Amino acid sequence: MRSPFKLRSRFNINNYSNLGQRVITGLIGASAIVAGAYYSEWLYFIIFGSILIFSQMEFYKLSGLDGMLPLKSFGTFLGVAIFTLTFLIELKHLEDKYYFLIFPLVSLVFFIKLYRKSDKKPFTGVAYTFLGIFYVAVPFSLLNLAAFSVDGTFHYEIIIGSLVILWASDSGAYFAGTKFGKTKLFERVSPKKSWEGFLGGALLAFTVAYILSKYFTSLEEWQWFCISSIIIIAGTYGDLIESLFKRSIEIKDSGKILPGHGGFMDRFDGLLLSAPFIAAFLKIF
């Protein structure tokens, strides 16, 4: 009888094709995220807080490759602090007045840089520290506002639904672009992206939004279609913006931690730009 260890040791995700790695990693990651958000708001908080940490550290690491000197640890701490504050306030564990803690906390970046004698361009480091917070931490924090936007209680459907639509848009664009892609969408930034892929992603995203509206009734059907439209457009731009960032420092992927996908920013770039628009839409309408 073969030992379980030997059976497990034979499984190596790197033995699969890029598409195989992409599917396996996507299924495992999506299952963990969906199960966590469905199980409880606290498990959602832990999972998304962890994704935030990895994504923000990844951003600061890439900034360092371009010669920038952001405050990696403190900037990530500030990102987690903002995410935690928004979550606790929306959960009604803290009063709204504690939002004002964000401003003095963030301003501490200036004090730290003031005492860093080795920095030749301290304000460049300050700018990239703030950019990591604004680009990564703020969108994740706004997801908290979206999740609690309906009646002040946590609605996992909004988080799961938005992510499933985003994944559908990405998957539809990937397969449609691979099969039919001819007309370049934004060749200067991302040569592989095509209008055919964009339309394929949009079609699948709208289809998924319609299906979700029949089961996730905390939002009306028209709201799901609006969220889908936001994700299709903002998600595509989020992907292009991250591609522009990577091209500026001449790298292909933001990391290698997620086989078939690259880094956390590669996987969640569409969410980073979509989340602020989704939160604004749900808060206003």
Side-chain angles (χ1 to χ4, degrees):
M1 181 177 178
R2 296 179 183 178
S3 70
F5 176 78
K6 287 185 178 179
L7 289 174
R8 287 197 300 269
S9 66
R10 285 191 170 191
F11 176 77
N12 187 344
I13 195 170
N14 294 320
N15 293 333
Y16 291 82
S17 65
N18 183 265
L19 177 59
Q21 293 179 27
R22 187 181 183 92
V23 171
I24 293 170
T25 304
L27 287 174
I28 294 172
S31 299
I33 291 172
V34 169
Y38 175 79
Y39 184 75
S40 78
E41 61 266 34
W42 287 104
L43 194 52
Y44 150 81
F45 169 76
I46 293 170
I47 290 173
F48 277 80
S50 301
I51 295 172
L52 185 159
I53 291 171
F54 283 114
S55 300
Q56 198 166 349
M57 289 296 289
E58 200 170 79
F59 173 81
Y60 288 141
K61 180 182 177 181
L62 296 179
S63 300
L65 295 177
D66 204 28
M68 307 305 164
L69 294 173
L71 297 173
K72 297 178 184 179
S73 298
F74 189 69
T76 304
F77 164 75
L78 289 175
V80 174
I82 294 170
F83 180 75
T84 303
L85 271 175
T86 56
F87 179 76
L88 293 177
I89 291 170
E90 293 300 316
L91 197 59
K92 307 302 180 186
H93 282 17
L94 291 176
E95 296 179 32
D96 290 354
K97 64 183 180 181
Y98 287 99
Y99 271 126
F100 288 97
L101 284 175
I102 293 173
F103 303 104
L105 279 173
V106 171
S107 68
L108 291 175
V109 172
F110 293 107
F111 293 91
I112 294 173
K113 277 293 184 180
L114 183 66
Y115 286 94
R116 286 279 184 92
K117 297 180 181 179
S118 59
D119 288 2
K120 295 181 179 179
K121 295 182 178 180
F123 267 79
T124 304
V126 168
Y128 271 82
T129 302
F130 287 156
L131 182 58
I133 295 169
F134 186 79
Y135 181 41
V136 180
V138 169
F140 276 104
S141 301
L142 289 173
L143 280 180
N144 295 330
L145 275 67
F148 289 88
S149 62
V150 176
D151 53 15
T153 59
F154 179 73
H155 282 272
Y156 69 86
E157 313 99 290
I158 295 175
I159 300 298
I160 293 176
S162 297
L163 286 172
V164 171
I165 292 171
L166 177 64
W167 295 333
S169 178
D170 287 347
S171 299
Y174 178 83
F175 288 108
T178 302
K179 183 71 174 178
F180 306 107
K182 293 181 180 180
T183 311
K184 300 300 181 184
L185 178 67
F186 213 118
E187 189 172 9
R188 178 174 61 86
V189 175
S190 187
K192 292 185 179 180
K193 285 185 171 46
S194 65
W195 279 105
E196 291 82 2
F198 174 81
L199 293 174
L203 179 62
L204 187 56
F206 281 129
T207 303
V208 169
Y210 174 75
I211 296 170
L212 287 173
S213 69
K214 303 303 177 184
Y215 297 94
F216 291 168
T217 55
S218 56
L219 298 179
E220 296 181 25
E221 184 178 294
W222 70 272
Q223 290 176 307
W224 280 117
F225 277 109
C226 287
I227 288 175
S228 183
S229 300
I230 289 170
I231 289 171
I232 291 164
I233 298 170
T236 300
Y237 274 109
D239 196 349
L240 289 170
I241 289 168
E242 205 235 347
S243 295
L244 182 65
F245 176 54
K246 290 187 294 185
R247 287 177 72 87
S248 69
I249 52 180
E250 301 179 344
I251 62 169
K252 181 182 178 182
D253 296 320
S254 65
K256 297 180 180 180
I257 195 169
L258 301 174
H261 294 272
F264 277 88
M265 289 184 63
D266 292 318
R267 180 64 278 176
F268 294 97
D269 51 7
L271 182 65
L272 295 180
L273 205 64
S274 300
F277 289 95
I278 293 171
F281 166 73
L282 291 176
K283 281 292 187 180
I284 294 171
F285 296 102

Short mmCIF file of all heavy atoms in Angstrom, two decimals, residues 205-231:
data_model
loop_
_atom_site.label_atom_id
_atom_site.label_comp_id
_atom_site.label_asym_id
_atom_site.label_seq_id
_atom_site.Cartn_x
_atom_site.Cartn_y
_atom_site.Cartn_z
N ALA A 205 -20.20 37.88 -18.20
CA ALA A 205 -20.46 38.61 -16.95
C ALA A 205 -21.93 38.97 -16.82
O ALA A 205 -22.53 38.83 -15.74
CB ALA A 205 -19.59 39.87 -16.91
N PHE A 206 -22.56 39.43 -17.90
CA PHE A 206 -23.98 39.77 -17.85
C PHE A 206 -24.85 38.52 -17.63
O PHE A 206 -25.86 38.56 -16.92
CB PHE A 206 -24.41 40.47 -19.14
CG PHE A 206 -24.05 41.93 -19.19
CD1 PHE A 206 -23.38 42.45 -20.29
CD2 PHE A 206 -24.38 42.78 -18.15
CE1 PHE A 206 -23.04 43.80 -20.34
CE2 PHE A 206 -24.06 44.13 -18.18
CZ PHE A 206 -23.38 44.64 -19.28
N THR A 207 -24.43 37.41 -18.23
CA THR A 207 -25.16 36.15 -18.04
C THR A 207 -25.12 35.73 -16.58
O THR A 207 -26.13 35.34 -15.99
CB THR A 207 -24.57 35.04 -18.93
OG1 THR A 207 -24.61 35.45 -20.30
CG2 THR A 207 -25.33 33.75 -18.76
N VAL A 208 -23.93 35.81 -15.99
CA VAL A 208 -23.77 35.44 -14.58
C VAL A 208 -24.54 36.39 -13.68
O VAL A 208 -25.16 35.98 -12.69
CB VAL A 208 -22.27 35.42 -14.20
CG1 VAL A 208 -22.09 35.31 -12.69
CG2 VAL A 208 -21.56 34.27 -14.90
N ALA A 209 -24.53 37.70 -14.01
CA ALA A 209 -25.28 38.69 -13.22
C ALA A 209 -26.77 38.37 -13.22
O ALA A 209 -27.45 38.50 -12.20
CB ALA A 209 -25.03 40.09 -13.78
N TYR A 210 -27.29 37.96 -14.37
CA TYR A 210 -28.71 37.61 -14.46
C TYR A 210 -29.03 36.40 -13.58
O TYR A 210 -30.03 36.39 -12.86
CB TYR A 210 -29.08 37.30 -15.92
CG TYR A 210 -30.49 36.80 -16.09
CD1 TYR A 210 -31.58 37.67 -16.00
CD2 TYR A 210 -30.73 35.44 -16.31
CE1 TYR A 210 -32.88 37.20 -16.13
CE2 TYR A 210 -32.03 34.97 -16.45
CZ TYR A 210 -33.10 35.85 -16.36
OH TYR A 210 -34.38 35.38 -16.50
N ILE A 211 -28.16 35.39 -13.63
CA ILE A 211 -28.37 34.20 -12.80
C ILE A 211 -28.29 34.55 -11.32
O ILE A 211 -29.11 34.10 -10.51
CB ILE A 211 -27.33 33.11 -13.16
CG1 ILE A 211 -27.53 32.63 -14.61
CG2 ILE A 211 -27.42 31.92 -12.20
CD1 ILE A 211 -26.42 31.74 -15.13
N LEU A 212 -27.30 35.35 -10.95
CA LEU A 212 -27.15 35.74 -9.55
C LEU A 212 -28.36 36.50 -9.03
O LEU A 212 -28.75 36.35 -7.86
CB LEU A 212 -25.90 36.62 -9.39
CG LEU A 212 -24.54 35.92 -9.50
CD1 LEU A 212 -23.42 36.95 -9.49
CD2 LEU A 212 -24.34 34.92 -8.37
N SER A 213 -28.96 37.33 -9.89
CA SER A 213 -30.10 38.14 -9.46
C SER A 213 -31.30 37.28 -9.05
O SER A 213 -32.16 37.74 -8.31
CB SER A 213 -30.51 39.11 -10.58
OG SER A 213 -31.07 38.40 -11.68
N LYS A 214 -31.33 36.04 -9.53
CA LYS A 214 -32.43 35.13 -9.19
C LYS A 214 -32.25 34.48 -7.82
O LYS A 214 -33.21 34.00 -7.22
CB LYS A 214 -32.57 34.04 -10.25
CG LYS A 214 -32.78 34.57 -11.67
CD LYS A 214 -34.01 35.47 -11.74
CE LYS A 214 -34.17 36.07 -13.14
NZ LYS A 214 -35.30 37.02 -13.19
N TYR A 215 -31.00 34.45 -7.33
CA TYR A 215 -30.70 33.79 -6.06
C TYR A 215 -30.27 34.78 -4.98
O TYR A 215 -30.61 34.59 -3.80
CB TYR A 215 -29.61 32.74 -6.27
CG TYR A 215 -30.02 31.63 -7.20
CD1 TYR A 215 -29.73 31.66 -8.57
CD2 TYR A 215 -30.73 30.53 -6.72
CE1 TYR A 215 -30.12 30.64 -9.42
CE2 TYR A 215 -31.13 29.49 -7.56
CZ TYR A 215 -30.82 29.56 -8.92
OH TYR A 215 -31.21 28.55 -9.75
N PHE A 216 -29.52 35.81 -5.36
CA PHE A 216 -29.06 36.81 -4.40
C PHE A 216 -30.00 38.02 -4.48
O PHE A 216 -29.77 38.97 -5.22
CB PHE A 216 -27.63 37.24 -4.71
CG PHE A 216 -26.60 36.16 -4.44
CD1 PHE A 216 -25.30 36.31 -4.89
CD2 PHE A 216 -26.92 35.02 -3.74
CE1 PHE A 216 -24.33 35.33 -4.64
CE2 PHE A 216 -25.97 34.03 -3.48
CZ PHE A 216 -24.68 34.19 -3.93
N THR A 217 -31.06 37.95 -3.71
CA THR A 217 -32.14 38.94 -3.83
C THR A 217 -31.97 40.15 -2.91
O THR A 217 -32.88 40.97 -2.79
CB THR A 217 -33.49 38.28 -3.54
OG1 THR A 217 -33.46 37.63 -2.26
CG2 THR A 217 -33.82 37.25 -4.62
N SER A 218 -30.83 40.26 -2.25
CA SER A 218 -30.59 41.45 -1.44
C SER A 218 -30.45 42.68 -2.33
O SER A 218 -30.66 43.81 -1.88
CB SER A 218 -29.33 41.28 -0.58
OG SER A 218 -28.21 40.97 -1.39
N LEU A 219 -30.10 42.48 -3.59
CA LEU A 219 -30.08 43.54 -4.59
C LEU A 219 -31.07 43.20 -5.69
O LEU A 219 -31.33 42.03 -5.96
CB LEU A 219 -28.67 43.70 -5.20
CG LEU A 219 -27.54 44.11 -4.27
CD1 LEU A 219 -26.23 44.19 -5.05
CD2 LEU A 219 -27.83 45.45 -3.61
N GLU A 220 -31.60 44.23 -6.33
CA GLU A 220 -32.54 44.01 -7.42
C GLU A 220 -31.78 43.66 -8.70
O GLU A 220 -30.57 43.91 -8.81
CB GLU A 220 -33.41 45.25 -7.62
CG GLU A 220 -34.30 45.55 -6.43
CD GLU A 220 -35.16 46.77 -6.66
OE1 GLU A 220 -35.42 47.10 -7.84
OE2 GLU A 220 -35.56 47.42 -5.68
N GLU A 221 -32.52 43.15 -9.67
CA GLU A 221 -31.89 42.71 -10.92
C GLU A 221 -31.14 43.83 -11.62
O GLU A 221 -30.01 43.65 -12.08
CB GLU A 221 -32.97 42.14 -11.85
CG GLU A 221 -32.41 41.56 -13.15
CD GLU A 221 -33.48 40.96 -14.03
OE1 GLU A 221 -34.08 39.94 -13.62
OE2 GLU A 221 -33.73 41.52 -15.12
N TRP A 222 -31.73 45.04 -11.66
CA TRP A 222 -31.08 46.15 -12.34
C TRP A 222 -29.78 46.55 -11.63
O TRP A 222 -28.82 46.99 -12.28
CB TRP A 222 -32.02 47.35 -12.46
CG TRP A 222 -32.32 48.06 -11.17
CD1 TRP A 222 -33.31 47.78 -10.29
CD2 TRP A 222 -31.60 49.17 -10.62
NE1 TRP A 222 -33.28 48.64 -9.21
CE2 TRP A 222 -32.24 49.50 -9.39
CE3 TRP A 222 -30.51 49.91 -11.02
CZ2 TRP A 222 -31.81 50.54 -8.59
CZ3 TRP A 222 -30.07 50.96 -10.22
CH2 TRP A 222 -30.71 51.27 -9.02
N GLN A 223 -29.74 46.38 -10.31
CA GLN A 223 -28.52 46.69 -9.56
C GLN A 223 -27.41 45.71 -9.90
O GLN A 223 -26.25 46.11 -10.02
CB GLN A 223 -28.82 46.69 -8.06
CG GLN A 223 -29.68 47.86 -7.61
CD GLN A 223 -30.04 47.76 -6.14
OE1 GLN A 223 -30.56 46.74 -5.68
NE2 GLN A 223 -29.78 48.83 -5.40
N TRP A 224 -27.75 44.43 -10.05
CA TRP A 224 -26.75 43.45 -10.43
C TRP A 224 -26.20 43.74 -11.83
O TRP A 224 -25.00 43.59 -12.08
CB TRP A 224 -27.32 42.03 -10.38
CG TRP A 224 -27.38 41.45 -9.01
CD1 TRP A 224 -28.49 41.08 -8.29
CD2 TRP A 224 -26.26 41.19 -8.14
NE1 TRP A 224 -28.13 40.61 -7.06
CE2 TRP A 224 -26.77 40.65 -6.94
CE3 TRP A 224 -24.88 41.34 -8.27
CZ2 TRP A 224 -25.96 40.28 -5.88
CZ3 TRP A 224 -24.06 40.96 -7.22
CH2 TRP A 224 -24.60 40.44 -6.03
N PHE A 225 -27.09 44.18 -12.72
CA PHE A 225 -26.61 44.52 -14.06
C PHE A 225 -25.72 45.76 -14.04
O PHE A 225 -24.77 45.87 -14.82
CB PHE A 225 -27.79 44.71 -15.02
CG PHE A 225 -28.33 43.43 -15.58
CD1 PHE A 225 -29.55 42.92 -15.19
CD2 PHE A 225 -27.58 42.70 -16.50
CE1 PHE A 225 -30.03 41.73 -15.71
CE2 PHE A 225 -28.05 41.51 -17.03
CZ PHE A 225 -29.28 41.02 -16.62
N CYS A 226 -26.03 46.72 -13.17
CA CYS A 226 -25.18 47.91 -13.03
C CYS A 226 -23.81 47.53 -12.47
O CYS A 226 -22.78 48.02 -12.94
CB CYS A 226 -25.86 48.95 -12.13
SG CYS A 226 -27.24 49.80 -12.90
N ILE A 227 -23.81 46.66 -11.45
CA ILE A 227 -22.54 46.20 -10.89
C ILE A 227 -21.74 45.45 -11.95
O ILE A 227 -20.51 45.61 -12.05
CB ILE A 227 -22.80 45.30 -9.66
CG1 ILE A 227 -23.28 46.14 -8.48
CG2 ILE A 227 -21.53 44.53 -9.26
CD1 ILE A 227 -23.68 45.33 -7.27
N SER A 228 -22.43 44.64 -12.75
CA SER A 228 -21.76 43.92 -13.82
C SER A 228 -21.13 44.89 -14.82
O SER A 228 -19.99 44.70 -15.26
CB SER A 228 -22.76 43.01 -14.53
OG SER A 228 -22.12 42.24 -15.53
N SER A 229 -21.84 45.95 -15.17
CA SER A 229 -21.31 46.96 -16.10
C SER A 229 -20.07 47.64 -15.53
O SER A 229 -19.09 47.87 -16.23
CB SER A 229 -22.38 48.00 -16.42
OG SER A 229 -23.51 47.42 -17.02
N ILE A 230 -20.15 47.95 -14.23
CA ILE A 230 -19.00 48.57 -13.56
C ILE A 230 -17.79 47.65 -13.62
O ILE A 230 -16.68 48.08 -13.95
CB ILE A 230 -19.35 48.88 -12.09
CG1 ILE A 230 -20.35 50.04 -12.00
CG2 ILE A 230 -18.09 49.22 -11.28
CD1 ILE A 230 -20.92 50.25 -10.61
N ILE A 231 -18.01 46.38 -13.31
CA ILE A 231 -16.90 45.42 -13.28
C ILE A 231 -16.31 45.20 -14.66
O ILE A 231 -15.08 45.13 -14.82
CB ILE A 231 -17.38 44.09 -12.67
CG1 ILE A 231 -17.61 44.27 -11.16
CG2 ILE A 231 -16.36 42.97 -12.91
CD1 ILE A 231 -18.28 43.08 -10.49
#
